[in-house]
């Protein structure tokens, strides 16, 4: 008899070792683990210590060996290049084995880092899994970041090889990747031994003799490489995400717990059986892409789709429905912002009727708050359950969701439902005491975190402790605030740090402030996230100029906008700033960003008791009104 959600959840909390130990049997191990959960060094916990496996084997070779060789593993759908290409599990294995051989020929062995700087093309998946095959550690960098961000990541993880391409295509714009890569390598202190570059026909690039080699040449010259067994606790990848400073945090994922948890989520959270078609419309540069374009669907023997296009403009707001119908997609996962973009262009969803969506079963949304309008629009026009789920780069899979594969719970608008098995979520006050149901506080997860989350930050053990574990002893701090209602439904309200969410992309306003402050005419600045109908939030800058600066404000604003684009990247979407005489501050000198944000969003706000000079606020209102 199948168990209720509450029964499954309770078991995961009461007996995590028993719960995950059983689930781990679903993975093919080279050597079984000694301990399901090593609790010997709290607050550090390690899953499946002593076990050995290979993640690539479990994603690909295993399915070839077990009867899925001819099933589609990966479909590349690229409206921007007018390409659809399907790789069977056998073909995918062969491509990965060849590229793993190429990486090995260029010196990559177990434990070495490889940066992957590629758009949403199959080579990104192949390169990631080729690293996993060798036991090397990949770090994928999203294409919308500038050379400077890439350089920071090069210096932090010190890759032996970088895998990149000549160009990406953003709707109809060609984005030259290679000059950005060359600039990043120039900026970085660390130099990779080699770069393996895919030449795309839309725009080729020049290669540096001795350092660079073309992808196809490297793969053709290589012998296919076998899967290398690694420890369950060995790193699989590093994924950098925004922290509260310009220094990104390198979220580290290990092999064993990741494979166990992610495979389990496909059936239990998403209700997806092996063989079905699952599409995460995201980018491999984000955690959603790592977990749900690449690892989870392949671990589960699904067909996964990598889509090089946008929800609108490639060619129209029917793009998602075309992909769903053409490839018989059963479950789609994307960010609410994608649906807002579609809704804006096709408010009545009339393009949906042009496609056969009869196989389409469920829509999952995450990455930012799901606003009620978008939820209702999707439900009404698609006629399928729309599931909001909450997660973070750090956790690697969802913290809260309606687990359709266990038991569908009633949906409450505004809530990503309940904590999923393994995630012991609580709301606490500043003293780390649990608050009453319905009261807002810090959302935290009781340690130990379940498998598949992050055991540490790459090269930054102390920062890991300070950022996540110190403030609420015994808990992981999510840095989201919210409440849990009497039925156990979690509501995520806002971040407690400087992170903003722009089109589902996580960005640090602190990092943008660092860039603005470097402008010679800027004495002081603040960046806040203001509500935006399409992207959820957009960054907005306030600049106080140095005494004596008499240049045109418009010129200075144009320059800082360009600086953010060049130093963080176009993805930051920093396009607006205002020059003000003063910033509102507390008496102790802290900038009142929260109050500024409320003013910008047109919300009611209380005059902060600690404000140094209340007459500054009308000046901010005026500056905003003039934008
Ligand atoms: N390489 C290079 N540049 C990129 C890029 C990439 N991979 N991805 C985005 N950019 C650039 C864009 O071209 C744009 O540049 P511009 O300022 O010159 O126009 C800028 O970065 C912002 O891009 P984006 O955030 O994608 O905004 P958009 O206005 O082009 O599109 C949406 C808006 C909502 C359609 C788009 O963000 C989207 O499809 N989101 C889907 C959700 C998603 O993928 N979320 C990820 C987590 S699940
Ligand atoms: P990222 O690490 O880029 O996945 O961003 C994680 C952050 O996005 C979370 O800490 C939340 O602030 C926000 N987020 C993700 N999913 C949701 C959701 N379903 N509801 C509200 N906020 C979300």
């Amino acid at each position: 008899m199948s168990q209720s959600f509450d029964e499954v959840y309770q078991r995961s909390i009461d007996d995590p070792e028993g719960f995950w130990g059983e689930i781990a049997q679903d993975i093919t191990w080279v050597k079984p683990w000694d301990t399901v959960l090593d609790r010997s060094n709290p607050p550090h916990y390690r899953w499946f210590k002593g076990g050995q496996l290979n993640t690539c084997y479990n994603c690909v070779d295993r399915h070839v060996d077990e009867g899925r060789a001819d099933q589609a593993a990966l479909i590349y759908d690229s409206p921007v290049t007018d390409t659809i290409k399907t790789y069977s599990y056998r073909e995918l294995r062969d491509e990965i084995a060849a590229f793993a051989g190429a990486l090995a020929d260029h010196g990559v062995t177990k434990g070495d880092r490889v940066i992957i700087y590629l758009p949403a093309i199959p080579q990104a998946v192949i390169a990631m899994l080729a690293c996993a095959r060798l036991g090397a550690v990949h770090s994928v960098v999203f294409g919308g970041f500038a050379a400077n961000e890439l350089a920071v990541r090069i210096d932090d993880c010190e890759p032996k090889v970088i895998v990149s391409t000549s160009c990406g295509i953003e709707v109809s714009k060609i984005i030259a990747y290679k000059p950005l890569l060359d600039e990043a390598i120039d900026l970085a202190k660390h130099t990779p031994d080699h770069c393996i570059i895919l030449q795309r026909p839309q725009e080729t690039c020049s290669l540096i003799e001795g350092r660079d080699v073309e992808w196809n040449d490297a793969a053709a010259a290589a012998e296919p490489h076998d899967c290398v067994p690694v420890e369950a606790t060995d790193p699989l990848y590093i994924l950098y995400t925004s922290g509260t400073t310009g220094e990104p945090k390198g979220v580290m994922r290990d092999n064993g717990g990741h494979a166990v948890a992610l495979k389990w989520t496909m059936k239990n959270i998403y209700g997806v059986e092996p063989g079905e078609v699952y599409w995460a419309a995201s980018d491999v540069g984000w955690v959603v892409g790592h977990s749900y374009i690449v690892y989870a669907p392949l671990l589960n023997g699904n067909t996964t789709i990598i889509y090089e296009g946008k929800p609108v403009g490639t060619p129209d707001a029917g793009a998602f429905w075309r992909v769903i119908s053409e490839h018989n997609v059963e479950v789609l996962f994307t960010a609410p912002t994608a649906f807002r973009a579609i809704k804006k262009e096709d408010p009545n969803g009339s393009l949906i009727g042009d496609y056969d969506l009869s196989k389409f079963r469920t829509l999952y949304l995450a990455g930012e708050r799901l606003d009620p309008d978008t939820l209702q629009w999707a439900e009404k026009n698609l006629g399928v359950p729309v599931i909001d789920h909450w997660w973070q780069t750090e956790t690697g899979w969802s913290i809260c969701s309606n687990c359709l594969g266990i038991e569908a719970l009633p949906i409450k608008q505004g809530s990503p439902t309940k904590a999923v098995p393994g995630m012991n979520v609580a709301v606490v006050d500043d003293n780390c005491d649990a608050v009453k149901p319905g009261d807002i506080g810090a959302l935290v997860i009781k340690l130990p975190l379940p498998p598949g989350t992050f055991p540490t930050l790459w090269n930054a053990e102390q920062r890991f402790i300070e950022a996540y574990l110190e403030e609420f002893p015994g808990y992981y701090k999510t840095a989201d605030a919210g409440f849990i209602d009497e039925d156990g439904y979690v509501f995520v309200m806002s971040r407690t740090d400087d992170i903003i969410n722009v089109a589902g992309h996580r960005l640090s306003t602190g990092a943008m402030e660092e860039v603005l402050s470097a402008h010679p005419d800027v004495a002081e600045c603040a960046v806040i996230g203001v509500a935006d109908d399409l992207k959820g939030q957009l960054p907005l800058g306030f600049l106080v100029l140095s005494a004596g600066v008499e240049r045109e404000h418009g010129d200075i604003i144009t320059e800082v906008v360009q600086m953010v684009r060049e130093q963080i990247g176009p993805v930051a979407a920093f396009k607006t700033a205002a020059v003000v005489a003063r910033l509102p501050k507390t008496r102790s000198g802290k900038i009142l960003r929260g109050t500024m944000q409320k003013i910008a969003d047109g919300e009611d706000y209380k005059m902060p008791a600690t404000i140094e000079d209340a007459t500054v606020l009308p000046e901010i209102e005026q500056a905003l009104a003039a934008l």
Side-chain angles (χ1 to χ4, degrees), residues 287 367-369 388-393 480 492 495 501 506:
V287 68
E368 53 171 332
R369 199 180 83 83
D388 179 16
H389 60 329
W390 169 50
W391 53 299
Q392 309 183 308
T393 305
D480 278 308
V492 183
R495 289 285 300 196
N501 209 309
R506 169 170 159 179

Side-chain angles (χ1 to χ4, degrees), residues 551-559 579:
R551 298 179 55 213
E552 281 292 320
H553 292 177
D555 292 345
I556 297 172
I557 290 169
T558 306
E559 285 161 16
V579 173

Side-chain angles (χ1 to χ4, degrees), residues 142-144 170 173 177 310-311 337 503 505 535 565 570-571 575:
F142 177 61
E170 277 287 296
K173 246 184 327 185
Y177 271 48
K310 298 255 175 183
T337 188
H505 310 319
K535 296 199 175 187
R565 196 176 169 90
V571 68
K575 297 199 166 146

